[in-house]
mmCIF file with all atom_site columns, all heavy atoms in Angstrom:
data_model
loop_
_atom_site.group_PDB
_atom_site.id
_atom_site.type_symbol
_atom_site.label_atom_id
_atom_site.label_alt_id
_atom_site.label_comp_id
_atom_site.label_asym_id
_atom_site.label_entity_id
_atom_site.label_seq_id
_atom_site.pdbx_PDB_ins_code
_atom_site.Cartn_x
_atom_site.Cartn_y
_atom_site.Cartn_z
_atom_site.occupancy
_atom_site.B_iso_or_equiv
_atom_site.pdbx_formal_charge
_atom_site.auth_seq_id
_atom_site.auth_comp_id
_atom_site.auth_asym_id
_atom_site.auth_atom_id
_atom_site.pdbx_PDB_model_num
ATOM 1  N N   . TYR A 1 72 ? -10.743 -36.226 -14.155 1.00 94.00 ? 247 TYR A N   1
ATOM 2  C CA  . TYR A 1 72 ? -11.886 -37.082 -14.458 1.00 94.00 ? 247 TYR A CA  1
ATOM 3  C C   . TYR A 1 72 ? -13.194 -36.412 -14.058 1.00 94.00 ? 247 TYR A C   1
ATOM 4  O O   . TYR A 1 72 ? -13.276 -35.780 -13.007 1.00 94.00 ? 247 TYR A O   1
ATOM 5  C CB  . TYR A 1 72 ? -11.773 -38.412 -13.706 1.00 94.00 ? 247 TYR A CB  1
ATOM 6  C CG  . TYR A 1 72 ? -10.659 -39.287 -14.199 1.00 94.00 ? 247 TYR A CG  1
ATOM 7  C CD1 . TYR A 1 72 ? -9.379  -39.157 -13.690 1.00 94.00 ? 247 TYR A CD1 1
ATOM 8  C CD2 . TYR A 1 72 ? -10.887 -40.233 -15.189 1.00 94.00 ? 247 TYR A CD2 1
ATOM 9  C CE1 . TYR A 1 72 ? -8.342  -39.949 -14.146 1.00 94.00 ? 247 TYR A CE1 1
ATOM 10 C CE2 . TYR A 1 72 ? -9.872  -41.031 -15.654 1.00 94.00 ? 247 TYR A CE2 1
ATOM 11 C CZ  . TYR A 1 72 ? -8.593  -40.883 -15.127 1.00 94.00 ? 247 TYR A CZ  1
ATOM 12 O OH  . TYR A 1 72 ? -7.578  -41.667 -15.587 1.00 94.00 ? 247 TYR A OH  1
ATOM 13 N N   . ALA A 1 73 ? -14.180 -36.568 -14.884 1.00 93.00 ? 248 ALA A N   1
ATOM 14 C CA  . ALA A 1 73 ? -15.522 -36.152 -14.505 1.00 93.00 ? 248 ALA A CA  1
ATOM 15 C C   . ALA A 1 73 ? -15.983 -37.056 -13.381 1.00 93.00 ? 248 ALA A C   1
ATOM 16 O O   . ALA A 1 73 ? -15.689 -38.243 -13.374 1.00 93.00 ? 248 ALA A O   1
ATOM 17 C CB  . ALA A 1 73 ? -16.476 -36.242 -15.688 1.00 93.00 ? 248 ALA A CB  1
ATOM 18 N N   . ASN A 1 74 ? -16.683 -36.477 -12.465 1.00 77.00 ? 249 ASN A N   1
ATOM 19 C CA  . ASN A 1 74 ? -16.964 -37.163 -11.216 1.00 77.00 ? 249 ASN A CA  1
ATOM 20 C C   . ASN A 1 74 ? -17.954 -38.305 -11.359 1.00 77.00 ? 249 ASN A C   1
ATOM 21 O O   . ASN A 1 74 ? -18.946 -38.213 -12.058 1.00 77.00 ? 249 ASN A O   1
ATOM 22 C CB  . ASN A 1 74 ? -17.494 -36.171 -10.206 1.00 77.00 ? 249 ASN A CB  1
ATOM 23 C CG  . ASN A 1 74 ? -17.281 -36.660 -8.797  1.00 77.00 ? 249 ASN A CG  1
ATOM 24 O OD1 . ASN A 1 74 ? -16.486 -37.561 -8.583  1.00 77.00 ? 249 ASN A OD1 1
ATOM 25 N ND2 . ASN A 1 74 ? -17.976 -36.072 -7.866  1.00 77.00 ? 249 ASN A ND2 1
ATOM 26 N N   . LEU A 1 75 ? -17.639 -39.382 -10.655 1.00 59.00 ? 250 LEU A N   1
ATOM 27 C CA  . LEU A 1 75 ? -18.610 -40.442 -10.495 1.00 59.00 ? 250 LEU A CA  1
ATOM 28 C C   . LEU A 1 75 ? -19.110 -40.312 -9.064  1.00 59.00 ? 250 LEU A C   1
ATOM 29 O O   . LEU A 1 75 ? -18.338 -40.315 -8.138  1.00 59.00 ? 250 LEU A O   1
ATOM 30 C CB  . LEU A 1 75 ? -17.992 -41.804 -10.716 1.00 59.00 ? 250 LEU A CB  1
ATOM 31 C CG  . LEU A 1 75 ? -16.489 -41.906 -10.400 1.00 59.00 ? 250 LEU A CG  1
ATOM 32 C CD1 . LEU A 1 75 ? -16.137 -43.324 -10.068 1.00 59.00 ? 250 LEU A CD1 1
ATOM 33 C CD2 . LEU A 1 75 ? -15.696 -41.423 -11.593 1.00 59.00 ? 250 LEU A CD2 1
ATOM 34 N N   . GLN A 1 76 ? -20.369 -40.211 -8.885  1.00 56.00 ? 251 GLN A N   1
ATOM 35 C CA  . GLN A 1 76 ? -20.924 -39.880 -7.583  1.00 56.00 ? 251 GLN A CA  1
ATOM 36 C C   . GLN A 1 76 ? -20.594 -40.914 -6.538  1.00 56.00 ? 251 GLN A C   1
ATOM 37 O O   . GLN A 1 76 ? -20.808 -42.100 -6.738  1.00 56.00 ? 251 GLN A O   1
ATOM 38 C CB  . GLN A 1 76 ? -22.437 -39.717 -7.694  1.00 56.00 ? 251 GLN A CB  1
ATOM 39 C CG  . GLN A 1 76 ? -22.852 -38.493 -8.489  1.00 56.00 ? 251 GLN A CG  1
ATOM 40 C CD  . GLN A 1 76 ? -22.302 -37.205 -7.882  1.00 56.00 ? 251 GLN A CD  1
ATOM 41 O OE1 . GLN A 1 76 ? -21.846 -37.199 -6.754  1.00 56.00 ? 251 GLN A OE1 1
ATOM 42 N NE2 . GLN A 1 76 ? -22.345 -36.133 -8.650  1.00 56.00 ? 251 GLN A NE2 1
ATOM 43 N N   . PRO A 1 77 ? -20.075 -40.485 -5.407  1.00 46.00 ? 252 PRO A N   1
ATOM 44 C CA  . PRO A 1 77 ? -19.673 -41.386 -4.342  1.00 46.00 ? 252 PRO A CA  1
ATOM 45 C C   . PRO A 1 77 ? -20.865 -41.906 -3.542  1.00 46.00 ? 252 PRO A C   1
ATOM 46 O O   . PRO A 1 77 ? -20.855 -43.021 -3.078  1.00 46.00 ? 252 PRO A O   1
ATOM 47 C CB  . PRO A 1 77 ? -18.789 -40.509 -3.461  1.00 46.00 ? 252 PRO A CB  1
ATOM 48 C CG  . PRO A 1 77 ? -19.278 -39.115 -3.696  1.00 46.00 ? 252 PRO A CG  1
ATOM 49 C CD  . PRO A 1 77 ? -19.826 -39.094 -5.097  1.00 46.00 ? 252 PRO A CD  1
ATOM 50 N N   . GLY A 1 78 ? -21.902 -41.109 -3.422  1.00 43.00 ? 253 GLY A N   1
ATOM 51 C CA  . GLY A 1 78 ? -23.034 -41.465 -2.580  1.00 43.00 ? 253 GLY A CA  1
ATOM 52 C C   . GLY A 1 78 ? -23.777 -42.693 -3.075  1.00 43.00 ? 253 GLY A C   1
ATOM 53 O O   . GLY A 1 78 ? -24.745 -43.100 -2.469  1.00 43.00 ? 253 GLY A O   1
ATOM 54 N N   . GLY A 1 79 ? -23.349 -43.271 -4.162  1.00 40.00 ? 254 GLY A N   1
ATOM 55 C CA  . GLY A 1 79 ? -24.006 -44.450 -4.683  1.00 40.00 ? 254 GLY A CA  1
ATOM 56 C C   . GLY A 1 79 ? -25.320 -44.116 -5.351  1.00 40.00 ? 254 GLY A C   1
ATOM 57 O O   . GLY A 1 79 ? -25.666 -44.676 -6.365  1.00 40.00 ? 254 GLY A O   1
ATOM 58 N N   . GLY A 1 80 ? -26.022 -43.204 -4.754  1.00 40.00 ? 255 GLY A N   1
ATOM 59 C CA  . GLY A 1 80 ? -27.345 -42.870 -5.261  1.00 40.00 ? 255 GLY A CA  1
ATOM 60 C C   . GLY A 1 80 ? -27.325 -42.083 -6.552  1.00 40.00 ? 255 GLY A C   1
ATOM 61 O O   . GLY A 1 80 ? -26.334 -42.008 -7.260  1.00 40.00 ? 255 GLY A O   1
ATOM 62 N N   . GLN A 1 81 ? -28.450 -41.490 -6.828  1.00 45.00 ? 256 GLN A N   1
ATOM 63 C CA  . GLN A 1 81 ? -28.614 -40.754 -8.056  1.00 45.00 ? 256 GLN A CA  1
ATOM 64 C C   . GLN A 1 81 ? -28.492 -39.258 -7.802  1.00 45.00 ? 256 GLN A C   1
ATOM 65 O O   . GLN A 1 81 ? -29.228 -38.482 -8.333  1.00 45.00 ? 256 GLN A O   1
ATOM 66 C CB  . GLN A 1 81 ? -29.984 -41.069 -8.648  1.00 45.00 ? 256 GLN A CB  1
ATOM 67 C CG  . GLN A 1 81 ? -31.147 -40.605 -7.765  1.00 45.00 ? 256 GLN A CG  1
ATOM 68 C CD  . GLN A 1 81 ? -31.119 -41.274 -6.419  1.00 45.00 ? 256 GLN A CD  1
ATOM 69 O OE1 . GLN A 1 81 ? -30.466 -42.289 -6.244  1.00 45.00 ? 256 GLN A OE1 1
ATOM 70 N NE2 . GLN A 1 81 ? -31.795 -40.704 -5.453  1.00 45.00 ? 256 GLN A NE2 1
ATOM 71 N N   . THR A 1 82 ? -27.577 -38.890 -6.936  1.00 49.00 ? 257 THR A N   1
ATOM 72 C CA  . THR A 1 82 ? -27.481 -37.497 -6.537  1.00 49.00 ? 257 THR A CA  1
ATOM 73 C C   . THR A 1 82 ? -27.129 -36.630 -7.735  1.00 49.00 ? 257 THR A C   1
ATOM 74 O O   . THR A 1 82 ? -25.973 -36.399 -8.031  1.00 49.00 ? 257 THR A O   1
ATOM 75 C CB  . THR A 1 82 ? -26.413 -37.308 -5.480  1.00 49.00 ? 257 THR A CB  1
ATOM 76 O OG1 . THR A 1 82 ? -25.201 -37.799 -6.010  1.00 49.00 ? 257 THR A OG1 1
ATOM 77 C CG2 . THR A 1 82 ? -26.748 -38.062 -4.223  1.00 49.00 ? 257 THR A CG2 1
ATOM 78 N N   . ASP A 1 83 ? -28.172 -36.193 -8.403  1.00 51.00 ? 258 ASP A N   1
ATOM 79 C CA  . ASP A 1 83 ? -27.927 -35.307 -9.530  1.00 51.00 ? 258 ASP A CA  1
ATOM 80 C C   . ASP A 1 83 ? -27.857 -33.871 -9.028  1.00 51.00 ? 258 ASP A C   1
ATOM 81 O O   . ASP A 1 83 ? -27.970 -32.936 -9.778  1.00 51.00 ? 258 ASP A O   1
ATOM 82 C CB  . ASP A 1 83 ? -29.046 -35.454 -10.562 1.00 51.00 ? 258 ASP A CB  1
ATOM 83 C CG  . ASP A 1 83 ? -30.385 -35.170 -9.938  1.00 51.00 ? 258 ASP A CG  1
ATOM 84 O OD1 . ASP A 1 83 ? -30.438 -35.050 -8.711  1.00 51.00 ? 258 ASP A OD1 1
ATOM 85 O OD2 . ASP A 1 83 ? -31.361 -35.069 -10.694 1.00 51.00 ? 258 ASP A OD2 1
ATOM 86 N N   . GLU A 1 84 ? -27.733 -33.740 -7.740  1.00 60.00 ? 259 GLU A N   1
ATOM 87 C CA  . GLU A 1 84 ? -27.670 -32.404 -7.173  1.00 60.00 ? 259 GLU A CA  1
ATOM 88 C C   . GLU A 1 84 ? -26.257 -31.886 -7.320  1.00 60.00 ? 259 GLU A C   1
ATOM 89 O O   . GLU A 1 84 ? -25.298 -32.601 -7.144  1.00 60.00 ? 259 GLU A O   1
ATOM 90 C CB  . GLU A 1 84 ? -28.016 -32.464 -5.698  1.00 60.00 ? 259 GLU A CB  1
ATOM 91 C CG  . GLU A 1 84 ? -29.246 -33.253 -5.465  1.00 60.00 ? 259 GLU A CG  1
ATOM 92 C CD  . GLU A 1 84 ? -30.235 -32.443 -4.673  1.00 60.00 ? 259 GLU A CD  1
ATOM 93 O OE1 . GLU A 1 84 ? -30.127 -31.219 -4.721  1.00 60.00 ? 259 GLU A OE1 1
ATOM 94 O OE2 . GLU A 1 84 ? -31.082 -33.045 -4.029  1.00 60.00 ? 259 GLU A OE2 1
#
Side-chain angles (χ1 to χ4, degrees):
Chain A
Y247 291 87
N249 203 17
L250 28 155
Q251 291 301 346
Q256 64 299 342
T257 57
D258 57 350
E259 312 234 23

